[in-house]
Amino acid sequence: ISKLSARGLFGQSDSFLKKSLSAITSFSNSETSVKKYIQFQDEVQELMKRLKDILSSLAEMRNVQDDYDELVEVHWVLAGSYSNTPELRITWLDNLAGMHLKAGFVAEAAQCYLHIAAIVAQYLYNFALGKLHSSDFENISHNIPKDEGRMKIDQELRGNQSYSEKDLVNMLEKCLRFLYESELFELMLPVFKLMLPLLEKNRDFDGMERLFRRMHESTMKTKQVMKSGKRFLGTYFRCKFYGKAFLGNHDKQFIYREPGITRLAEFVATMSDKFSTLLAGDLVIFKDSLTMGPKTVDPKKNYIQITHVEPYFLRENREERQTKFEKENNLSHFFFQTPFTKSGRPHGSADTQYMLVTILRTRQVFPYIKRRIEVMDSETIEQTPIEVAIYAVKNKTSDLENVIRCEPPDLNLLELTLQGCVGATVNEGPLEYYRVFLSE
């Protein structure tokens, strides 16, 4: 029923199926006087509840068919409700992966297959059929042990073994394919480490040959993108929704991941086109980072505040993230800046320029099985003018170092970066910082 529902094979009406489920429930309730039927009765009622939840979610899916992110959200919720039913959770995650591939979000599809592999591994571990545990996927994604480590052992399922180590190897091979396509080459190495003992155990020398070839290829690709510096794994935006038309998302914030380099104007245009159609044009887009609330908006309109955000690293984690890839994987903290002066104007001279830094924390880490993750909490830090100047100089110096390390050298990019270092548009640049803070 779960598979049929996911494919929409019940059409617009599921009334006959609901009647059938109600009949089954009534029949199970008729045997309440016999003790041996009590456990069976509870199991039937639990099963009927799950099936009815599927049908309710299916109805919700029909209402959000034109909203990709909401449709993904429904799939994600359904998959999460089956943490103790591997077959059904895998069904919904597989459907979700297909949606991502169709929409061009390959990294998210790869994460779906990694979660599926972890489910199979956890299933085998629970029944003492394998040694891999979902926690062994921690180095790949911090999300996996949290999502897939909750599976409970149902001893009655032992006689109906659904998965084998061969299924696990096949799924890991599928993961490698999509990790490669999404340029997440560094994540392929820990997958290789999971696969090799399984291949050795089964003396699968052909499989080991293929594995070592792919390992060599992925390692060469890793070296190549590290030298060129031209791999861009994602751009992040914060969206805050405000208005009655957004229903459950009203006054909520989300971080969106866009593949590659996506400019703010492009993302704003995409979101504007999408929601203007869904809301019949009753939409206002905010592109600044000022506080949005009841006092600053029209209650009759719907608002989306869109801000470009960058990854933020806690002090204790900064030393662990040495490479560019490590700074773009397992991300849960982001920040954006709001310039201000004590006079009320947003911008001023170097000695009057303050900055409000807003740090956002998401419920899961990126990349994930969905490209949009809700913001769980936030905090703000006020930077003084000298702190603003130090941050600007450090940031530009880091940009310059990254360009200098590029192989082969990119002179055009170097010229643009140098111009940005010495000819800042917002202020006079390092020379002005020297005059204001160091000249005496």
Side-chain angles (χ1 to χ4, degrees), residues 196-246:
L196 186 56
L198 299 174
L199 296 174
E200 289 178 336
K201 177 182 175 181
N202 295 306
R203 297 169 178 80
D204 185 352
F205 298 105
D206 289 336
M208 283 187 276
E209 181 185 9
R210 292 194 302 272
L211 186 70
F212 289 130
R213 285 182 179 177
R214 299 194 74 171
M215 188 182 298
H216 172 74
E217 185 180 4
S218 65
T219 303
M220 294 299 293
K221 279 288 186 180
T222 301
K223 290 174 59 179
Q224 180 181 334
V225 295
M226 288 183 67
K227 288 181 179 179
S228 68
K230 294 182 178 180
R231 177 183 57 173
F232 301 95
L233 295 177
T235 310
Y236 296 90
F237 300 95
R238 164 240 189 193
C239 288
K240 181 175 182 179
F241 297 93
Y242 206 93
K244 295 180 180 179
F246 297 118

Side-chain angles (χ1 to χ4, degrees), residues 341-391:
T341 62
K342 297 297 185 181
S343 64
R345 299 178 61 185
H347 298 289
S349 58
D351 56 340
T352 62
Q353 184 65 69
Y354 289 78
M355 195 74 72
L356 193 66
V357 181
T358 303
I359 303 169
L360 310 169
R361 182 166 67 101
T362 55
R363 292 188 179 277
Q364 293 86 22
V365 301
F366 284 97
Y368 189 38
I369 58 179
K370 54 181 183 173
R371 68 145 186 168
R372 182 184 78 173
I373 301 179
E374 185 178 354
V375 173
M376 187 164 54
D377 54 47
S378 63
E379 64 173 307
T380 56
I381 301 173
E382 182 177 307
Q383 289 184 334
T384 62
I386 183 63
E387 290 174 321
V388 173
I390 291 172
Y391 174 81

Side-chain angles (χ1 to χ4, degrees), residues 133-410:
H133 189 273
S134 58
S135 60
D136 294 317
F137 290 75
E138 173 79 20
N139 291 337
I140 302 173
S141 172
H142 297 338
N143 295 315
I144 294 178
K146 295 178 182 178
D147 286 0
E148 313 308 341
R150 298 173 294 171
M151 187 190 305
K152 296 179 182 178
I153 297 178
D154 187 348
Q155 294 298 334
E156 294 183 5
L157 291 176
R158 181 182 291 274
N160 184 25
Q161 184 177 336
S162 301
Y163 304 105
S164 65
E165 286 189 341
K166 184 178 180 180
D167 296 318
L168 177 56
V169 170
N170 290 338
M171 185 52 62
L172 290 172
E173 286 184 344
K174 198 170 188 177
C175 295
L176 290 174
R177 171 188 166 191
F178 291 109
L179 288 173
Y180 187 89
E181 289 186 15
S182 55
E183 295 189 297
L184 297 171
F185 308 119
E186 288 87 340
L187 292 185
M188 295 177 70
L189 181 58
V191 175
F192 291 141
K193 292 179 179 179
L194 297 177
M195 289 180 65
L196 186 56
L198 299 174
L199 296 174
E200 289 178 336
K201 177 182 175 181
N202 295 306
R203 297 169 178 80
D204 185 352
F205 298 105
D206 289 336
M208 283 187 276
E209 181 185 9
R210 292 194 302 272
L211 186 70
F212 289 130
R213 285 182 179 177
R214 299 194 74 171
M215 188 182 298
H216 172 74
E217 185 180 4
S218 65
T219 303
M220 294 299 293
K221 279 288 186 180
T222 301
K223 290 174 59 179
Q224 180 181 334
V225 295
M226 288 183 67
K227 288 181 179 179
S228 68
K230 294 182 178 180
R231 177 183 57 173
F232 301 95
L233 295 177
T235 310
Y236 296 90
F237 300 95
R238 164 240 189 193
C239 288
K240 181 175 182 179
F241 297 93
Y242 206 93
K244 295 180 180 179
F246 297 118
L247 302 177
N249 289 334
H250 166 67
D251 205 23
K252 286 186 178 181
Q253 301 181 80
F254 295 87
I255 301 296
Y256 283 74
R257 192 195 81 89
E258 288 288 307
I261 299 177
T262 304
R263 300 188 184 280
L264 177 61
E266 297 174 20
F267 184 73
V268 167
T270 300
M271 296 293 283
S272 178
D273 291 344
K274 170 185 170 181
F275 283 98
S276 293
T277 301
L278 293 174
L279 304 178
D282 188 16
L283 178 69
V284 178
I285 299 288
F286 275 6
K287 290 184 285 187
D288 56 48
S289 54
L290 300 176
T291 302
M292 184 171 63
K295 296 182 180 180
T296 59
V297 301
D298 183 346
K300 297 180 181 180
K301 295 183 179 180
N302 302 294
Y303 298 82
I304 303 180
Q305 187 178 39
I306 302 177
T307 313
H308 174 263
V309 295
E310 295 182 8
Y312 177 86
F313 305 109
L314 301 176
R315 188 181 300 274
E316 58 268 24
N317 296 330
R318 290 173 189 171
E319 293 184 0
E320 299 175 1
R321 297 180 182 265
Q322 298 293 323
T323 67
K324 190 172 184 293
F325 172 80
E326 290 168 351
K327 295 176 181 178
E328 296 186 80
N329 188 53
N330 281 324
L331 303 176
S332 61
H333 290 75
F334 300 84
F335 78 98
F336 63 90
Q337 297 173 311
T338 306
F340 73 97
T341 62
K342 297 297 185 181
S343 64
R345 299 178 61 185
H347 298 289
S349 58
D351 56 340
T352 62
Q353 184 65 69
Y354 289 78
M355 195 74 72
L356 193 66
V357 181
T358 303
I359 303 169
L360 310 169
R361 182 166 67 101
T362 55
R363 292 188 179 277
Q364 293 86 22
V365 301
F366 284 97
Y368 189 38
I369 58 179
K370 54 181 183 173
R371 68 145 186 168
R372 182 184 78 173
I373 301 179
E374 185 178 354
V375 173
M376 187 164 54
D377 54 47
S378 63
E379 64 173 307
T380 56
I381 301 173
E382 182 177 307
Q383 289 184 334
T384 62
I386 183 63
E387 290 174 321
V388 173
I390 291 172
Y391 174 81
V393 172
K394 280 186 175 181
N395 199 38
K396 289 298 181 181
T397 302
S398 177
D399 290 343
L400 189 57
E401 288 177 342
N402 291 333
V403 174
I404 292 173
R405 293 195 185 104
C406 286
E407 291 185 19
D410 190 331

